[in-house]
Amino acid sequence: ITGPSASLAAEDRTRGYLNGLQERRIQADECLIALGDFTETSSFEAMQRLLPYEPDAVFAASDSMALGAMRALRVAGKRVPEEVAVIGFDDMPQAATADPPLTTVRQSIQRAGVLAVEMLIDILKNGAEPPRRVILPTELVVRDSCGSRLVA
């Protein structure tokens, strides 16, 4: 479940998903990519559109959207993670207390903020050329929603 097409973060996360499939020689199925807008409500609706395809796993481009997908799955009578694994992105505080706790990708917001300020100061001092692009490291935070505890 992607974020809005006008969002660079959503575009990067979608590209990462597609690259991951390509690296594993799996053909992307556009029917399995649903548009959201980083809100729980949009993801609830996107998950409802995906249900007829009977997915066994869902990656949402934000934790809010992952929580919306989990709610839609519960309403549909699907169990997370026994029937559908769910993973989000952001590691917001609600991820750890969700039922089940949400597996997510953590990217340090604090580090991003520090880098943004440093880059802004550099641009003000030295100009905007050359363009700057920084890719921050991420960390997979494994919790129950992906089913990792089900595998012995």
Side-chain angles (χ1 to χ4, degrees):
I1 301 175
T2 70
S5 57
S7 164
L8 183 58
E11 182 182 313
D12 285 346
R13 293 169 194 181
T14 302
R15 189 176 320 109
Y17 164 74
L18 294 172
N19 288 346
L21 290 176
Q22 184 178 19
E23 287 172 10
R24 287 156 188 81
R25 294 183 174 87
I26 298 171
Q27 182 69 34
D29 185 343
E30 294 295 324
C31 295
L32 299 178
I33 300 174
L35 182 65
D37 65 8
F38 287 133
T39 65
E40 196 171 326
T41 301
S42 74
S43 185
F44 180 90
E45 294 166 356
M47 188 71 244
Q48 288 180 317
R49 290 190 302 275
L50 291 171
L51 282 168
Y53 297 100
E54 299 183 5
D56 56 12
V58 175
F59 172 72
S62 76
D63 287 348
S64 293
M65 291 197 307
L67 295 175
M70 288 188 351
R71 187 167 51 90
L73 289 163
R74 265 191 302 278
V75 167
K78 299 286 187 183
R79 296 174 301 139
V80 175
E82 294 85 357
E83 294 177 88
V84 183
V86 179
I87 300 175
F89 195 106
D90 291 325
D91 197 24
M92 61 187 233
Q94 298 90 323
T97 59
D99 182 27
L102 180 64
T103 295
T104 186
V105 177
R106 177 186 298 149
Q107 188 172 41
S108 173
I109 298 299
Q110 181 178 5
R111 182 70 185 133
V114 168
L115 279 173
V117 170
E118 289 173 354
M119 288 174 63
L120 179 59
I121 291 169
D122 183 53
I123 288 169
L124 291 173
K125 286 183 179 178
N126 302 309
E129 297 295 329
R132 294 144 180 89
R133 180 176 171 108
V134 176
I135 299 175
L136 296 174
T138 58
E139 174 189 358
L140 179 63
V141 180
V142 178
R143 297 190 180 107
D144 294 348
S145 71
C146 71
S148 67
R149 308 243 193 301
L150 298 176
V151 179

